[in-house]
Amino acid sequence: NKWSGFTGSLGATRGCIWVIGERPSFDNLYGNVIRFLRQKMDALVDLPELADLCGGPPDFHVTDLIKFRGNEGKAKEDLCNHMIELSAKGLSSEFQVLAPKMILITDFAERLLPYMKEKLNPLDTRLDDIVNHPLKIVVPYWSRPPHDEWARRIIHRLATPDQ
C-alpha cells in the first residue's frame, strides 16, 4: 500500500488527515468494508492537493465517532449515555494528540454528532473541535460508489477555502 493502513492512534502522526466513521460494526463481511475503504483511500494518496496541504504525502488516521461496536445506523437505539461520554472522551483525546489538518467525516457519523452533543452536558466542549474544524468535509460512507467522490469533495473544498 501507498498509505500506512490501519495503524490506530499509536501509529498515526500529528497533523494527519482524519477519516471518521460512525462506529465499529458487527458486520461479518468486515473484509468488504475494508476493501471499500481502501478504494477510497487509494484515490487520495497521490492527490496533489493533499500533498500540498500536508507538505508531502498525506498520512491518514481512520477512527470512529462511537467507540463501541453496534449495528450501522442503530446508534440512537443502542447507546447509553455512558457510552457516548466515553466515546467523546476518547475522540477528544485523539484529537488533542493528533491535531488533524483535515477531517473527512462520513455522512452517517455527521448525522450522529448532534445526537451525541445533545446527550452530553450542555457545557461539554469536547466534540467542538470536530464539529467546528475549518477543514471538515462530509463524505459519503465508504461502501458507496463512486470511489473518487471523496477526492472530488476535497479538491472542491480546498479550491473554495471560505466555504
Side-chain angles (χ1 to χ4, degrees):
N1 287 330
K2 295 179 183 176
W3 58 285
S4 60
F6 308 106
T7 58
S9 295
L10 296 177
T13 58
R14 190 165 180 81
C16 61
I17 295 170
W18 265 21
V19 177
I20 303 178
E22 180 186 17
R23 68 191 305 184
S25 74
F26 288 119
D27 193 341
N28 60 358
L29 301 174
Y30 183 70
N32 283 336
V33 172
I34 298 306
R35 177 173 55 93
F36 292 131
L37 179 56
R38 284 190 188 278
Q39 288 173 339
K40 298 282 198 253
M41 302 302 288
D42 287 343
L44 303 182
V45 171
D46 296 320
L47 200 61
E49 292 83 355
L50 284 183
D52 289 346
L53 176 71
C54 297
D59 186 27
F60 298 91
H61 173 58
V62 179
T63 193
D64 292 295
L65 186 65
I66 300 295
K67 303 300 184 182
F68 295 88
R69 292 201 181 281
N71 295 313
E72 180 182 301
K74 301 288 185 185
K76 291 181 181 179
E77 291 105 42
D78 65 7
L79 285 177
C80 67
N81 287 351
H82 183 68
M83 294 164 94
I84 291 171
E85 173 71 29
L86 289 175
S87 294
K89 180 179 180 182
L91 204 60
S92 177
S93 295
E94 281 180 285
F95 189 94
Q96 297 309 313
V97 169
L98 297 176
K101 288 187 182 199
M102 175 183 283
I103 295 176
L104 304 175
I105 185 168
T106 66
D107 47 5
F108 290 162
E110 176 71 9
R111 284 193 297 267
L112 195 52
L113 267 173
Y115 175 78
M116 287 181 68
K117 290 213 33 99
E118 173 187 308
K119 296 295 181 181
L120 295 170
N121 182 307
L123 301 176
D124 192 321
T125 61
R126 288 177 295 183
L127 295 177
D128 289 356
D129 288 331
I130 294 161
V131 170
N132 302 318
H133 193 282
L135 280 177
K136 180 179 79 167
I137 302 170
V138 179
V139 295
Y141 184 70
W142 41 69
S143 66
R144 282 187 261 147
H147 295 297
D148 63 345
E149 178 62 21
W150 288 17
R152 281 199 297 269
R153 291 188 186 197
I154 291 168
I155 292 167
H156 176 73
R157 178 64 180 83
L158 292 174
T160 53
D162 294 332
Q163 199 175 26

